[in-house]
Amino acid sequence: MNYEEWHKEYMEKKIINLKNELNEKDIEVLSKLDIEVQDKTYTQYDFEIFMINVGAYDRDDTMSELDLEYTKDLNSTGVSQNEYKKIQDKVDKIYDKCCKYFAKYLYKVS
C-alpha cells in the first residue's frame, strides 16, 4: 500500500464504535475528563485522537517539568487515579482488539 492509499484508509476506514465497547460508568469517567465518546464508528485517526486525549492525564514521578507541561492534572477532574487506570486499561484492550484492522504502510528504503 502506498502512502496515499494508507492515508485514505487511515482517515476514512471505519473501525470501531466505542459506545459498544464502553459501559455507562466508563463514559461518565471520560466525560469528567472532558473526553466525549461519540456515537459513531471511529476511524483509525479518530481512535488515535481519542487515545491521545485519554493519555494526556498520564503522569508519573519520573517526568521532567517539560513533560509535565504537556499533561493534564487529574486532581481537578473528580476522577480518582484508580478510575483513570481502569479507563487506561480498557482503552489499551480496545486498541489490542482493533489494531489488526489499522491501515498498514510499509516504508521502503531504496
Side-chain angles (χ1 to χ4, degrees), residues 44-105:
Q44 182 177 348
Y45 171 78
D46 297 330
F47 184 63
E48 286 182 7
I49 296 298
F50 172 79
M51 289 177 50
I52 288 167
N53 289 334
V54 171
Y57 292 90
D58 191 16
R59 292 179 162 205
D60 65 51
D61 296 337
T62 64
M63 295 177 119
S64 70
E65 284 187 38
L66 181 61
D67 291 336
L68 291 173
E69 285 182 31
Y70 293 100
T71 63
K72 295 181 179 181
D73 185 14
L74 191 61
N75 294 329
S76 64
T77 65
V79 174
S80 72
Q81 189 64 44
N82 188 43
E83 289 173 310
Y84 178 67
K85 178 72 172 120
K86 285 180 183 177
I87 287 294
Q88 275 188 309
D89 291 345
K90 196 156 199 181
V91 170
D92 287 345
K93 286 178 185 170
I94 294 168
Y95 175 86
D96 290 343
K97 177 181 176 178
C98 69
C99 69
K100 63 186 168 201
Y101 303 110
F102 287 175
K104 306 292 189 281
Y105 174 66

Side-chain angles (χ1 to χ4, degrees), residues 5-70:
E5 293 167 330
W6 169 85
H7 190 261
K8 180 175 177 48
E9 189 171 316
Y10 173 77
M11 297 298 289
E12 297 177 8
K13 181 182 175 187
K14 308 291 186 193
I15 295 174
I16 192 159
N17 186 327
L18 291 176
K19 289 239 177 175
N20 295 337
E21 303 295 323
L22 302 166
N23 61 38
E24 288 297 320
K25 174 71 174 159
D26 299 331
I27 292 171
E28 181 182 311
V29 169
L30 289 163
S31 179
K32 289 180 183 179
L33 299 175
D34 284 332
I35 300 170
E36 178 186 359
V37 179
Q38 298 178 11
D39 191 12
K40 70 174 192 173
T41 305
Y42 284 62
T43 64
Q44 182 177 348
Y45 171 78
D46 297 330
F47 184 63
E48 286 182 7
I49 296 298
F50 172 79
M51 289 177 50
I52 288 167
N53 289 334
V54 171
Y57 292 90
D58 191 16
R59 292 179 162 205
D60 65 51
D61 296 337
T62 64
M63 295 177 119
S64 70
E65 284 187 38
L66 181 61
D67 291 336
L68 291 173
E69 285 182 31
Y70 293 100

